[in-house]
PDB file of all heavy atoms in Angstrom:
ATOM      1  N   GLU A 509      14.417 -18.867  37.803  1.00  0.00           N
ATOM      2  CA  GLU A 509      13.575 -18.524  36.648  1.00  0.00           C
ATOM      3  C   GLU A 509      12.741 -17.257  36.942  1.00  0.00           C
ATOM      4  O   GLU A 509      12.141 -17.248  38.057  1.00  0.00           O
ATOM      5  CB  GLU A 509      12.627 -19.728  36.333  1.00  0.00           C
ATOM      6  CG  GLU A 509      11.658 -19.392  35.157  1.00  0.00           C
ATOM      7  CD  GLU A 509      10.752 -20.507  34.776  1.00  0.00           C
ATOM      8  OE1 GLU A 509      10.823 -21.581  35.364  1.00  0.00           O
ATOM      9  OE2 GLU A 509       9.944 -20.346  33.806  1.00  0.00           O
ATOM     10  N   ALA A 510      12.847 -16.371  36.097  1.00  0.00           N
ATOM     11  CA  ALA A 510      12.016 -15.127  36.271  1.00  0.00           C
ATOM     12  C   ALA A 510      10.569 -15.397  35.836  1.00  0.00           C
ATOM     13  O   ALA A 510      10.429 -15.802  34.685  1.00  0.00           O
ATOM     14  CB  ALA A 510      12.634 -13.982  35.448  1.00  0.00           C
ATOM     15  N   LEU A 511       9.639 -15.223  36.805  1.00  0.00           N
ATOM     16  CA  LEU A 511       8.160 -15.391  36.445  1.00  0.00           C
ATOM     17  C   LEU A 511       7.474 -14.073  36.579  1.00  0.00           C
ATOM     18  O   LEU A 511       7.713 -13.414  37.721  1.00  0.00           O
ATOM     19  CB  LEU A 511       7.629 -16.475  37.295  1.00  0.00           C
ATOM     20  CG  LEU A 511       8.238 -17.886  36.931  1.00  0.00           C
ATOM     21  CD1 LEU A 511       7.963 -18.862  38.158  1.00  0.00           C
ATOM     22  CD2 LEU A 511       7.650 -18.401  35.695  1.00  0.00           C
ATOM     23  N   ASN A 564      11.451 -16.446  30.314  1.00  0.00           N
ATOM     24  CA  ASN A 564      10.576 -17.150  29.321  1.00  0.00           C
ATOM     25  C   ASN A 564      10.230 -16.253  28.117  1.00  0.00           C
ATOM     26  O   ASN A 564      10.077 -15.045  28.235  1.00  0.00           O
ATOM     27  CB  ASN A 564       9.216 -17.438  30.051  1.00  0.00           C
ATOM     28  CG  ASN A 564       9.314 -18.486  31.089  1.00  0.00           C
ATOM     29  OD1 ASN A 564       9.430 -19.649  30.746  1.00  0.00           O
ATOM     30  ND2 ASN A 564       9.256 -18.057  32.328  1.00  0.00           N
ATOM     31  N   GLU A 596      13.977 -19.471  27.895  1.00  0.00           N
ATOM     32  CA  GLU A 596      13.061 -20.650  27.822  1.00  0.00           C
ATOM     33  C   GLU A 596      12.106 -20.512  26.673  1.00  0.00           C
ATOM     34  O   GLU A 596      11.387 -19.537  26.598  1.00  0.00           O
ATOM     35  CB  GLU A 596      12.356 -20.871  29.200  1.00  0.00           C
ATOM     36  CG  GLU A 596      13.329 -21.112  30.369  1.00  0.00           C
ATOM     37  CD  GLU A 596      12.606 -21.594  31.579  1.00  0.00           C
ATOM     38  OE1 GLU A 596      11.387 -21.777  31.484  1.00  0.00           O
ATOM     39  OE2 GLU A 596      13.227 -21.822  32.640  1.00  0.00           O
ATOM     40  N   ASP A 626      11.238 -25.597  27.366  1.00  0.00           N
ATOM     41  CA  ASP A 626      10.403 -25.597  28.450  1.00  0.00           C
ATOM     42  C   ASP A 626       9.273 -26.634  28.214  1.00  0.00           C
ATOM     43  O   ASP A 626       9.001 -27.016  27.078  1.00  0.00           O
ATOM     44  CB  ASP A 626       9.780 -24.277  28.515  1.00  0.00           C
ATOM     45  CG  ASP A 626       9.310 -23.859  29.994  1.00  0.00           C
ATOM     46  OD1 ASP A 626       9.351 -24.764  30.870  1.00  0.00           O
ATOM     47  OD2 ASP A 626       8.869 -22.700  30.181  1.00  0.00           O
ATOM     48  N   ASP A 627       8.663 -27.077  29.255  1.00  0.00           N
ATOM     49  CA  ASP A 627       7.441 -27.940  29.260  1.00  0.00           C
ATOM     50  C   ASP A 627       7.667 -29.172  28.323  1.00  0.00           C
ATOM     51  O   ASP A 627       6.790 -29.550  27.521  1.00  0.00           O
ATOM     52  CB  ASP A 627       6.249 -27.182  28.718  1.00  0.00           C
ATOM     53  CG  ASP A 627       5.941 -25.937  29.518  1.00  0.00           C
ATOM     54  OD1 ASP A 627       6.420 -25.855  30.721  1.00  0.00           O
ATOM     55  OD2 ASP A 627       5.256 -25.016  29.036  1.00  0.00           O
ATOM     56  N   LYS A 647      13.575 -28.864  30.127  1.00  0.00           N
ATOM     57  CA  LYS A 647      12.808 -28.835  31.357  1.00  0.00           C
ATOM     58  C   LYS A 647      11.645 -29.798  31.219  1.00  0.00           C
ATOM     59  O   LYS A 647      10.708 -29.514  30.398  1.00  0.00           O
ATOM     60  CB  LYS A 647      12.359 -27.400  31.649  1.00  0.00           C
ATOM     61  CG  LYS A 647      13.500 -26.429  31.790  1.00  0.00           C
ATOM     62  CD  LYS A 647      13.062 -25.054  32.202  1.00  0.00           C
ATOM     63  CE  LYS A 647      12.646 -24.911  33.697  1.00  0.00           C
ATOM     64  NZ  LYS A 647      12.245 -23.565  34.037  1.00  0.00           N
ATOM     65  N   GLU A 683      10.522 -29.930  36.487  1.00  0.00           N
ATOM     66  CA  GLU A 683       9.695 -28.769  37.062  1.00  0.00           C
ATOM     67  C   GLU A 683       8.681 -29.318  38.019  1.00  0.00           C
ATOM     68  O   GLU A 683       8.310 -30.557  37.954  1.00  0.00           O
ATOM     69  CB  GLU A 683       8.908 -28.176  35.913  1.00  0.00           C
ATOM     70  CG  GLU A 683       9.801 -27.476  34.863  1.00  0.00           C
ATOM     71  CD  GLU A 683       8.891 -26.739  33.801  1.00  0.00           C
ATOM     72  OE1 GLU A 683       8.116 -27.491  33.137  1.00  0.00           O
ATOM     73  OE2 GLU A 683       8.978 -25.503  33.667  1.00  0.00           O
ATOM     74  N   GLN A 703      13.143 -27.858  40.229  1.00  0.00           N
ATOM     75  CA  GLN A 703      12.501 -26.675  40.418  1.00  0.00           C
ATOM     76  C   GLN A 703      11.128 -26.927  40.980  1.00  0.00           C
ATOM     77  O   GLN A 703      10.406 -27.840  40.490  1.00  0.00           O
ATOM     78  CB  GLN A 703      12.436 -25.791  39.195  1.00  0.00           C
ATOM     79  CG  GLN A 703      11.763 -24.535  39.258  1.00  0.00           C
ATOM     80  CD  GLN A 703      11.699 -23.848  37.788  1.00  0.00           C
ATOM     81  OE1 GLN A 703      12.085 -24.432  36.833  1.00  0.00           O
ATOM     82  NE2 GLN A 703      11.048 -22.709  37.779  1.00  0.00           N
TER      83      GLN A 703
HETATM   84 CA1   CA B   2       9.385 -21.535  32.035  1.00  0.00          CA
END
Side-chain angles (χ1 to χ4, degrees):
E509 178 176 359
L511 294 160
N564 290 285
E596 297 191 3
D626 204 356
D627 303 340
K647 298 182 79 177
E683 296 185 298
Q703 178 184 358

